[in-house]
Amino acid sequence: MLPKISLAELRATQDAELERFRELVPSDIIVKDYGISPPRRAMSCNVLDAQPITSDSGVQLAGRWRALAAAETDLETIVEEIRANYAAKSGWSTRSGDQLDDPLTSTLVVFTSPDGYQYYVRVSTEPNREGLKTVSVSSFSPCVETPADIDLDARY
């Protein structure tokens, strides 16, 4: 049985945590801050199976914060400091999200809250063509009961 939490509460919790991640990245290294993404449509908990939202599927919300940093910035050290910060928090877990054969020029760490929210922190290890590095945090709420009055076109 999925928990019954309002989509407004999911969004508020998720965005507040994205802001905490944002605050852990020193502002003096940020060249461009894209901010936290605006609300998006709810997703089916079966999104990987390309299943639509139904009364039984449950729903979840996605969010994101992204910024560009100067090329000389050591973002791997910053992500390790963020990992240490969250590892010290009660109930949080962290794990590497990278695969050994991943050709990406980035590092990924996955953070999971005690309530089941997941945050994927990815940082560039090499500059892009503009000479900048990316730091981003993608987030997913836990799956909750599909609200009876859900508007499939609304942004939550």
Side-chain angles (χ1 to χ4, degrees), residues 79-94:
V79 81
E80 286 308 315
E81 290 169 2
I82 294 171
R83 184 194 290 243
N85 181 292
Y86 275 85
K89 291 183 177 194
S90 178
W92 281 81
S93 65
T94 68

Side-chain angles (χ1 to χ4, degrees), residues 51-67:
Q51 299 299 311
I53 294 173
T54 66
S55 59
D56 297 331
S57 70
V59 293
Q60 67 183 130
L61 299 178
R64 186 173 189 211
W65 169 69
R66 184 170 77 98

Side-chain angles (χ1 to χ4, degrees), residues 91-111:
W92 281 81
S93 65
T94 68
R95 65 176 172 79
S96 173
D98 289 327
Q99 298 179 6
L100 295 177
D101 60 349
D102 190 350
L104 295 174
T105 55
S106 62
T107 296
L108 174 66
V109 178
V110 180
F111 297 78

Side-chain angles (χ1 to χ4, degrees), residues 1 3-4 12 14-15 26-27 35 39 55 58-59 61 63 71 77 79 102 104 107 112 114 120 123 144 154 156:
M1 179 147 186
K4 187 174 185 169
Q14 196 170 23
D15 284 356
S27 61
S55 59
V59 293
L61 299 178
T77 297
V79 81
D102 190 350
L104 295 174
T107 296
T112 304
Y120 295 76
V123 296
V144 298
Y156 297 95

